[in-house]
Amino acid sequence: MVKTAKNQQMTGTLVGNESQNGNHAYSEAVKSGLYAKKTGLVGKYDNVRRYWEDEITRQFLRLHLQKLIKRSRSQMRRLRILDLGCGSADGYELLAGIRHRDPSLQDVEVDLLTPDVLGLYKGIDLNEHLIIQARESYGNNPKITFEQVDFTKGLPISKSEKPYDLYFTSYGTCSHHNEDRTLIRLLIDIAKRTEEYCVIVCDWIGRYSYEWQSLWTNDLSKNRNINYVMSYIYEREEREQRRDELQHLNLRLISHKEAESIVTKAGEKAGIEIKPLVYFDRSIFTGRHMDTAEYNPHAQPIRQAVNSLHEANQRTNLHSLLIDYVPKQGFDFLNNYFERLQMCWNILVHYVEKLLLTYDEKQRLFDPDPLAIPSSYPPALREMMERMRQVIDGVGWLGIGLPRENIIEPQLGYALRYLVTNLQQGQGCAHGLVGIFEVDKT
Ligand SMILES: C[S@@+](CC[C@H](N)C(=O)[O-])C[C@H]1O[C@@H](n2cnc3c(N)ncnc32)[C@H](O)[C@@H]1O
């Protein structure tokens, strides 16, 4: 007889078992990890990763994925994607989350990469544990496969394998090419194997992130690599306790100029143009090592503050968002850029603070009215100041549902994200530098 909760009760013998079962069920739940308290304040998938980094990357990829889909559809075939250094296949999730631009409130199907569009996603990685994890997550989908391979040994696809439409990397993976020649070789292989057209996404660690200001140099033959410590995974106290056992990675730091040089060399050697489409900086003041200050004693925990903005039911002290950029002598081109960005960021934060102070929830209006926004401010800043005024005016009186914590603060997060996305220049001034390229033989 199969034991069910009902017949256990009927036999009347199972009080002990029941309590054991109960214990077992809780133990199972804990083991699964799904019973853990989820927070966006720390860890790999914190709020900045999910609401800023993933989304900014998707924003820049959208147009190119759209073009690839259109092209493959017109050729009556589906899309083939190769993720080089896929880890546990977060890149698949990132790509699958790219949406149509500005879907209307009524639209339900908003994803670009729907199951009917995808032909194959193949992820390759050197690390067998990550491959196992990736297979555990996606192994049931026959259109998703994984292989343990080293991408520094050239393009890991066999002669009989059809070329791919999208060669993808994410979150600094290209910086694992410690020597440029291995990436150049990979790019040459991709260019040569392309039959008609492909898009290549290269994701590096930015050379001029404020996080590692101590490593900035004007001589690009110096400080080419960072001894990158993954200390940010832990909160401060645990980080210090575990300092000796922390993992270190040797990662290539890349500026826009160096990226251009790598790609140009690969194109020349292959005799095929690898054309840059766009470069973008991702996480300018919000890289993970802003919080650890491992490589810059002046770094402030801005990521922590932005994580808090996006955390449900949590109120943020807006002062924790204010940046005091400390310049480095001999780097005027960087100091000018960061100082201007810091000014815009702080102006927006101060403005929102003032709006919150002057909003009268009973009368549902600002008292006094907010000051006019100077026309000398950059358009992106003016736009976001105006938007935040409208947001607070629109929901400040709601009362129920914690409007400050759950609507106004996340909206400030998006407004700051908009600001940095619009003012970034794709120069390598952020945690990540991403380049999107095409090979077009048609
Ligand atoms: C920064 S992680 C990114 C992982 C994943 N793409 C993501 O977005 O989360 C870099 C990945 O590259 C892999 N990797 C490093 N060197 C490699 C190599 N020589 N060949 C293949 N994979 C490599 C690492 O194992 C790791 O999974």
Side-chain angles (χ1 to χ4, degrees), residues 63-81:
L63 175 71
H64 308 289
L65 183 64
Q66 247 164 353
K67 274 206 289 196
L68 281 175
I69 292 172
K70 195 170 165 204
R71 180 180 276 270
S72 64
R73 273 215 178 107
S74 72
Q75 294 173 343
M76 309 287 286
R77 53 179 200 83
R78 303 207 268 189
L79 214 61
R80 291 169 59 78
I81 299 169

PDB file of all heavy atoms in Angstrom, residues 63-81:
ATOM      1  N   LEU A  63      19.272  45.249 -30.475  1.00  0.00           N
ATOM      2  CA  LEU A  63      19.242  45.577 -31.900  1.00  0.00           C
ATOM      3  C   LEU A  63      19.941  44.488 -32.724  1.00  0.00           C
ATOM      4  O   LEU A  63      19.468  44.082 -33.788  1.00  0.00           O
ATOM      5  CB  LEU A  63      19.938  46.928 -32.102  1.00  0.00           C
ATOM      6  CG  LEU A  63      20.118  47.404 -33.513  1.00  0.00           C
ATOM      7  CD1 LEU A  63      18.762  47.811 -34.074  1.00  0.00           C
ATOM      8  CD2 LEU A  63      21.072  48.602 -33.552  1.00  0.00           C
ATOM      9  N   HIS A  64      21.072  43.998 -32.219  1.00  0.00           N
ATOM     10  CA  HIS A  64      21.883  43.051 -32.980  1.00  0.00           C
ATOM     11  C   HIS A  64      21.254  41.662 -32.963  1.00  0.00           C
ATOM     12  O   HIS A  64      21.313  40.934 -33.962  1.00  0.00           O
ATOM     13  CB  HIS A  64      23.313  43.058 -32.449  1.00  0.00           C
ATOM     14  CG  HIS A  64      23.852  44.460 -32.398  1.00  0.00           C
ATOM     15  ND1 HIS A  64      24.158  45.157 -33.546  1.00  0.00           N
ATOM     16  CD2 HIS A  64      24.044  45.317 -31.370  1.00  0.00           C
ATOM     17  CE1 HIS A  64      24.540  46.374 -33.221  1.00  0.00           C
ATOM     18  NE2 HIS A  64      24.479  46.495 -31.902  1.00  0.00           N
ATOM     19  N   LEU A  65      20.618  41.314 -31.851  1.00  0.00           N
ATOM     20  CA  LEU A  65      19.916  40.033 -31.802  1.00  0.00           C
ATOM     21  C   LEU A  65      18.715  40.077 -32.753  1.00  0.00           C
ATOM     22  O   LEU A  65      18.443  39.124 -33.485  1.00  0.00           O
ATOM     23  CB  LEU A  65      19.462  39.723 -30.368  1.00  0.00           C
ATOM     24  CG  LEU A  65      18.786  38.373 -30.188  1.00  0.00           C
ATOM     25  CD1 LEU A  65      19.757  37.236 -30.481  1.00  0.00           C
ATOM     26  CD2 LEU A  65      18.234  38.199 -28.766  1.00  0.00           C
ATOM     27  N   GLN A  66      18.040  41.214 -32.752  1.00  0.00           N
ATOM     28  CA  GLN A  66      16.889  41.388 -33.643  1.00  0.00           C
ATOM     29  C   GLN A  66      17.292  41.178 -35.106  1.00  0.00           C
ATOM     30  O   GLN A  66      16.628  40.478 -35.852  1.00  0.00           O
ATOM     31  CB  GLN A  66      16.350  42.811 -33.497  1.00  0.00           C
ATOM     32  CG  GLN A  66      14.987  42.875 -32.888  1.00  0.00           C
ATOM     33  CD  GLN A  66      14.670  44.286 -32.397  1.00  0.00           C
ATOM     34  OE1 GLN A  66      15.520  45.176 -32.397  1.00  0.00           O
ATOM     35  NE2 GLN A  66      13.446  44.474 -31.967  1.00  0.00           N
ATOM     36  N   LYS A  67      18.437  41.778 -35.460  1.00  0.00           N
ATOM     37  CA  LYS A  67      18.925  41.667 -36.844  1.00  0.00           C
ATOM     38  C   LYS A  67      19.256  40.215 -37.180  1.00  0.00           C
ATOM     39  O   LYS A  67      18.958  39.721 -38.266  1.00  0.00           O
ATOM     40  CB  LYS A  67      20.165  42.549 -37.045  1.00  0.00           C
ATOM     41  CG  LYS A  67      19.816  43.974 -37.390  1.00  0.00           C
ATOM     42  CD  LYS A  67      20.906  44.680 -38.167  1.00  0.00           C
ATOM     43  CE  LYS A  67      22.114  44.982 -37.338  1.00  0.00           C
ATOM     44  NZ  LYS A  67      23.059  45.943 -37.840  1.00  0.00           N
ATOM     45  N   LEU A  68      19.892  39.535 -36.210  1.00  0.00           N
ATOM     46  CA  LEU A  68      20.261  38.130 -36.439  1.00  0.00           C
ATOM     47  C   LEU A  68      19.016  37.266 -36.630  1.00  0.00           C
ATOM     48  O   LEU A  68      18.979  36.391 -37.496  1.00  0.00           O
ATOM     49  CB  LEU A  68      21.070  37.597 -35.258  1.00  0.00           C
ATOM     50  CG  LEU A  68      22.544  37.972 -35.201  1.00  0.00           C
ATOM     51  CD1 LEU A  68      23.165  37.467 -33.909  1.00  0.00           C
ATOM     52  CD2 LEU A  68      23.316  37.404 -36.397  1.00  0.00           C
ATOM     53  N   ILE A  69      18.011  37.531 -35.821  1.00  0.00           N
ATOM     54  CA  ILE A  69      16.776  36.741 -35.909  1.00  0.00           C
ATOM     55  C   ILE A  69      16.109  36.980 -37.273  1.00  0.00           C
ATOM     56  O   ILE A  69      15.685  36.041 -37.946  1.00  0.00           O
ATOM     57  CB  ILE A  69      15.817  37.087 -34.745  1.00  0.00           C
ATOM     58  CG1 ILE A  69      16.418  36.602 -33.422  1.00  0.00           C
ATOM     59  CG2 ILE A  69      14.438  36.489 -34.967  1.00  0.00           C
ATOM     60  CD1 ILE A  69      15.673  37.050 -32.175  1.00  0.00           C
ATOM     61  N   LYS A  70      16.072  38.243 -37.682  1.00  0.00           N
ATOM     62  CA  LYS A  70      15.450  38.593 -38.960  1.00  0.00           C
ATOM     63  C   LYS A  70      16.175  37.887 -40.112  1.00  0.00           C
ATOM     64  O   LYS A  70      15.568  37.291 -41.003  1.00  0.00           O
ATOM     65  CB  LYS A  70      15.518  40.116 -39.139  1.00  0.00           C
ATOM     66  CG  LYS A  70      14.616  40.640 -40.216  1.00  0.00           C
ATOM     67  CD  LYS A  70      14.564  42.153 -40.156  1.00  0.00           C
ATOM     68  CE  LYS A  70      13.969  42.666 -41.461  1.00  0.00           C
ATOM     69  NZ  LYS A  70      14.362  44.024 -41.759  1.00  0.00           N
ATOM     70  N   ARG A  71      17.491  37.925 -40.032  1.00  0.00           N
ATOM     71  CA  ARG A  71      18.306  37.318 -41.075  1.00  0.00           C
ATOM     72  C   ARG A  71      18.107  35.801 -41.140  1.00  0.00           C
ATOM     73  O   ARG A  71      17.892  35.245 -42.222  1.00  0.00           O
ATOM     74  CB  ARG A  71      19.773  37.632 -40.776  1.00  0.00           C
ATOM     75  CG  ARG A  71      20.770  37.096 -41.754  1.00  0.00           C
ATOM     76  CD  ARG A  71      22.152  37.514 -41.301  1.00  0.00           C
ATOM     77  NE  ARG A  71      22.468  38.848 -41.754  1.00  0.00           N
ATOM     78  CZ  ARG A  71      23.066  39.101 -42.915  1.00  0.00           C
ATOM     79  NH1 ARG A  71      23.419  38.113 -43.710  1.00  0.00           N
ATOM     80  NH2 ARG A  71      23.330  40.328 -43.287  1.00  0.00           N
ATOM     81  N   SER A  72      18.146  35.151 -39.968  1.00  0.00           N
ATOM     82  CA  SER A  72      18.012  33.688 -39.993  1.00  0.00           C
ATOM     83  C   SER A  72      16.607  33.287 -40.422  1.00  0.00           C
ATOM     84  O   SER A  72      16.425  32.310 -41.141  1.00  0.00           O
ATOM     85  CB  SER A  72      18.385  33.076 -38.641  1.00  0.00           C
ATOM     86  OG  SER A  72      17.506  33.497 -37.650  1.00  0.00           O
ATOM     87  N   ARG A  73      15.601  34.086 -40.027  1.00  0.00           N
ATOM     88  CA  ARG A  73      14.224  33.795 -40.459  1.00  0.00           C
ATOM     89  C   ARG A  73      14.110  33.871 -41.979  1.00  0.00           C
ATOM     90  O   ARG A  73      13.482  33.022 -42.603  1.00  0.00           O
ATOM     91  CB  ARG A  73      13.248  34.815 -39.855  1.00  0.00           C
ATOM     92  CG  ARG A  73      12.762  34.434 -38.490  1.00  0.00           C
ATOM     93  CD  ARG A  73      11.306  34.872 -38.290  1.00  0.00           C
ATOM     94  NE  ARG A  73      10.857  34.454 -36.981  1.00  0.00           N
ATOM     95  CZ  ARG A  73      10.663  35.274 -35.957  1.00  0.00           C
ATOM     96  NH1 ARG A  73      10.862  36.563 -36.096  1.00  0.00           N
ATOM     97  NH2 ARG A  73      10.252  34.799 -34.800  1.00  0.00           N
ATOM     98  N   SER A  74      14.753  34.909 -42.547  1.00  0.00           N
ATOM     99  CA  SER A  74      14.636  35.085 -44.001  1.00  0.00           C
ATOM    100  C   SER A  74      15.335  33.934 -44.734  1.00  0.00           C
ATOM    101  O   SER A  74      15.051  33.662 -45.897  1.00  0.00           O
ATOM    102  CB  SER A  74      15.220  36.431 -44.431  1.00  0.00           C
ATOM    103  OG  SER A  74      16.622  36.375 -44.322  1.00  0.00           O
ATOM    104  N   GLN A  75      16.247  33.255 -44.025  1.00  0.00           N
ATOM    105  CA  GLN A  75      16.937  32.110 -44.648  1.00  0.00           C
ATOM    106  C   GLN A  75      16.299  30.790 -44.232  1.00  0.00           C
ATOM    107  O   GLN A  75      16.895  29.721 -44.437  1.00  0.00           O
ATOM    108  CB  GLN A  75      18.414  32.119 -44.239  1.00  0.00           C
ATOM    109  CG  GLN A  75      19.146  33.320 -44.792  1.00  0.00           C
ATOM    110  CD  GLN A  75      20.572  33.411 -44.240  1.00  0.00           C
ATOM    111  OE1 GLN A  75      20.905  32.787 -43.239  1.00  0.00           O
ATOM    112  NE2 GLN A  75      21.395  34.202 -44.914  1.00  0.00           N
ATOM    113  N   MET A  76      15.117  30.868 -43.635  1.00  0.00           N
ATOM    114  CA  MET A  76      14.347  29.678 -43.224  1.00  0.00           C
ATOM    115  C   MET A  76      15.154  28.772 -42.287  1.00  0.00           C
ATOM    116  O   MET A  76      15.200  27.565 -42.442  1.00  0.00           O
ATOM    117  CB  MET A  76      13.940  28.851 -44.461  1.00  0.00           C
ATOM    118  CG  MET A  76      13.280  29.633 -45.542  1.00  0.00           C
ATOM    119  SD  MET A  76      11.623  30.075 -45.096  1.00  0.00           S
ATOM    120  CE  MET A  76      10.807  28.511 -45.261  1.00  0.00           C
ATOM    121  N   ARG A  77      15.855  29.393 -41.335  1.00  0.00           N
ATOM    122  CA  ARG A  77      16.575  28.569 -40.367  1.00  0.00           C
ATOM    123  C   ARG A  77      16.567  29.255 -39.005  1.00  0.00           C
ATOM    124  O   ARG A  77      16.121  30.397 -38.888  1.00  0.00           O
ATOM    125  CB  ARG A  77      18.004  28.280 -40.840  1.00  0.00           C
ATOM    126  CG  ARG A  77      18.764  29.511 -41.194  1.00  0.00           C
ATOM    127  CD  ARG A  77      20.174  29.238 -41.641  1.00  0.00           C
ATOM    128  NE  ARG A  77      20.935  30.460 -41.490  1.00  0.00           N
ATOM    129  CZ  ARG A  77      21.483  30.855 -40.377  1.00  0.00           C
ATOM    130  NH1 ARG A  77      21.400  30.103 -39.293  1.00  0.00           N
ATOM    131  NH2 ARG A  77      22.152  31.991 -40.298  1.00  0.00           N
ATOM    132  N   ARG A  78      17.052  28.496 -38.023  1.00  0.00           N
ATOM    133  CA  ARG A  78      16.997  29.046 -36.672  1.00  0.00           C
ATOM    134  C   ARG A  78      18.388  29.460 -36.195  1.00  0.00           C
ATOM    135  O   ARG A  78      19.398  29.116 -36.818  1.00  0.00           O
ATOM    136  CB  ARG A  78      16.361  28.013 -35.754  1.00  0.00           C
ATOM    137  CG  ARG A  78      14.979  27.631 -36.283  1.00  0.00           C
ATOM    138  CD  ARG A  78      14.090  27.183 -35.207  1.00  0.00           C
ATOM    139  NE  ARG A  78      14.145  25.747 -35.006  1.00  0.00           N
ATOM    140  CZ  ARG A  78      13.294  25.120 -34.193  1.00  0.00           C
ATOM    141  NH1 ARG A  78      12.370  25.791 -33.549  1.00  0.00           N
ATOM    142  NH2 ARG A  78      13.380  23.823 -34.036  1.00  0.00           N
ATOM    143  N   LEU A  79      18.397  30.172 -35.096  1.00  0.00           N
ATOM    144  CA  LEU A  79      19.625  30.812 -34.639  1.00  0.00           C
ATOM    145  C   LEU A  79      20.556  29.855 -33.903  1.00  0.00           C
ATOM    146  O   LEU A  79      20.121  29.061 -33.085  1.00  0.00           O
ATOM    147  CB  LEU A  79      19.207  31.930 -33.668  1.00  0.00           C
ATOM    148  CG  LEU A  79      20.056  33.179 -33.651  1.00  0.00           C
ATOM    149  CD1 LEU A  79      20.059  33.843 -35.010  1.00  0.00           C
ATOM    150  CD2 LEU A  79      19.499  34.134 -32.607  1.00  0.00           C
ATOM    151  N   ARG A  80      21.857  29.984 -34.194  1.00  0.00           N
ATOM    152  CA  ARG A  80      22.857  29.153 -33.503  1.00  0.00           C
ATOM    153  C   ARG A  80      23.767  30.066 -32.676  1.00  0.00           C
ATOM    154  O   ARG A  80      24.336  31.028 -33.186  1.00  0.00           O
ATOM    155  CB  ARG A  80      23.687  28.393 -34.540  1.00  0.00           C
ATOM    156  CG  ARG A  80      22.894  27.307 -35.271  1.00  0.00           C
ATOM    157  CD  ARG A  80      23.665  26.780 -36.466  1.00  0.00           C
ATOM    158  NE  ARG A  80      24.962  26.217 -36.124  1.00  0.00           N
ATOM    159  CZ  ARG A  80      25.163  25.005 -35.601  1.00  0.00           C
ATOM    160  NH1 ARG A  80      24.139  24.216 -35.365  1.00  0.00           N
ATOM    161  NH2 ARG A  80      26.391  24.580 -35.343  1.00  0.00           N
ATOM    162  N   ILE A  81      23.868  29.736 -31.408  1.00  0.00           N
ATOM    163  CA  ILE A  81      24.640  30.589 -30.489  1.00  0.00           C
ATOM    164  C   ILE A  81      25.745  29.774 -29.828  1.00  0.00           C
ATOM    165  O   ILE A  81      25.492  28.682 -29.312  1.00  0.00           O
ATOM    166  CB  ILE A  81      23.712  31.173 -29.394  1.00  0.00           C
ATOM    167  CG1 ILE A  81      22.606  32.032 -30.026  1.00  0.00           C
ATOM    168  CG2 ILE A  81      24.510  31.991 -28.379  1.00  0.00           C
ATOM    169  CD1 ILE A  81      21.503  32.438 -29.070  1.00  0.00           C
TER     170      ILE A  81
END
